[in-house]
Amino acid sequence: QVQPVESGGGLVQAGGSLRLSCVASGRAFDRYAVAWFRQAPGKEREFVARIGSSGVSTLYADSVKGRFTISRDNANNTVYMQLNSLKPEDTAVYYCAANNKGSFTSSDAYNYWGQGTHVTVSS
């Protein structure tokens, strides 16, 4: 069992960068795949990126590919997501989620969720 906690969100101008962190308490974090999802105002929650338990396997949504980078530091029970070249359409609440079954892109596959961190991109 893990308890993710996100941080790093804030207000940034278009073209700027942010680094989000997801810190998870638990005894076996290195056995969990982790994904980032986001939900913009008035829109459905969407997949952003995921990383396998070892950090070798990664996958990105087309909308963020080439701009966002997901990574993990299992020694510190932390997953990061670097957000570069931010656009106003990236404005959303970003959620970190974990499971111990695989690196899926569906939110239904994830058992443990953080409370989210807000990212606002101004034009």
Side-chain angles (χ1 to χ4, degrees):
Q1 187 175 14
V2 295
Q3 299 178 12
V5 178
E6 305 96 333
S7 64
L11 175 64
V12 64
Q13 293 183 336
S17 298
L18 287 172
R19 190 191 194 195
L20 307 183
S21 297
C22 174
V23 179
S25 63
R27 67 176 68 184
F29 178 71
D30 59 357
R31 297 182 181 179
Y32 287 81
V34 176
W36 287 92
F37 294 82
R38 68 185 182 186
Q39 187 165 20
K43 296 185 178 180
E44 297 180 351
R45 184 172 298 184
E46 65 174 342
F47 166 80
V48 177
R50 57 90 166 153
I51 189 166
S53 59
S54 69
V56 174
S57 178
T58 60
L59 183 68
Y60 299 91
D62 288 341
S63 60
V64 306
K65 190 175 298 182
R67 299 188 298 119
F68 293 4
T69 303
I70 189 171
S71 62
R72 68 189 297 161
D73 180 358
N74 286 341
N76 292 310
N77 282 16
T78 304
V79 169
Y80 303 99
M81 191 163 68
Q82 180 69 37
L83 286 60
N84 294 329
S85 302
L86 283 163
K87 305 175 181 178
E89 51 263 43
D90 294 319
T91 296
V93 178
Y94 284 73
Y95 298 92
C96 176
N99 69 34
N100 60 359
K101 296 181 179 180
S103 296
F104 303 105
T105 59
S106 172
S107 62
D108 186 61
Y110 291 84
N111 300 320
Y112 308 103
W113 292 79
Q115 295 184 354
T117 185
H118 290 72
V119 172
T120 302
V121 184
S122 62
S123 60

